[in-house]
Amino acid sequence: MSAKLALKFFNKILGSIDNVQPEIVGGGKLAEILWPLNDIFRSRMDRILSIRYDPKFEDEADKAIERFASNPIPSSWEDISPGAWRVLFERHRQLIIVAMINEKTGNAFTTIPSGLPESAILPGIMLLLLHEMKLPFSVGDQKDLGVWQGLPPESMKRH
């Protein structure tokens, strides 16, 4: 996780976060924020799942996250290697699993500055949690992996 880059990003978006109240992001909300990345991965899943996770692509994945934060559109990742795609997908998948576990147990997950424009929330979360992420689980057999379809599960949403 790269709190330093996220802080720089949040300050750039809001001018300064010195007097900004933090907004708690629970696991369900985090899964909702990350969910749109599934659409980016979906068209590449056969290729992503055909290769093994290799830590040597983690730096490239971090640079891809930085590019996405600067220009949050799918095409900002067009030129990254299959190995970096695999790292990005594994981080994304595992973070959603951890978010769902936290939602189930009622734990807050993280905070972001309140008042962020909607367009800055996903890039900010990516810098905060996916950049330099250490995987909480071992990388298992890829054949059982996949990308989730549709909307986040209703049980994930707080009403």
Side-chain angles (χ1 to χ4, degrees), residues 10-125:
F10 294 141
N11 278 316
K12 179 181 175 187
I13 298 297
L14 296 174
S16 170
I17 62 167
D18 290 342
N19 297 315
V20 175
Q21 291 292 89
E23 178 181 327
I24 295 172
V25 178
K29 180 65 175 172
L30 179 61
E32 288 178 33
I33 292 166
L34 293 170
W35 208 260
L37 292 178
N38 288 322
D39 293 334
I40 298 172
F41 291 117
R42 189 169 289 111
S43 66
R44 295 169 174 83
M45 284 310 296
D46 288 342
R47 179 72 175 137
I48 291 169
L49 298 180
S50 72
I51 60 173
R52 292 238 170 257
Y53 184 96
D54 189 335
K56 76 179 183 185
F57 293 101
E58 291 173 348
D59 288 340
E60 183 183 353
D62 289 334
K63 289 187 179 11
I65 291 168
E66 293 169 27
R67 274 201 321 270
F68 189 89
S70 295
N71 189 20
I73 57 173
S75 63
S76 66
W77 284 355
E78 287 298 320
D79 64 343
I80 62 175
S81 72
W85 275 104
R86 181 69 176 94
V87 169
L88 290 166
F89 174 71
E90 191 63 35
R91 289 178 181 177
H92 168 71
R93 184 183 77 85
Q94 290 198 22
L95 186 56
I96 286 182
I97 290 168
V98 172
M100 293 169 76
I101 291 168
N102 275 267
E103 179 67 15
K104 182 75 172 162
T105 59
N107 295 328
F109 198 90
T110 192
T111 61
I112 57 174
S114 61
L116 284 173
E118 189 70 29
S119 62
I121 295 173
L122 174 60
I125 286 288

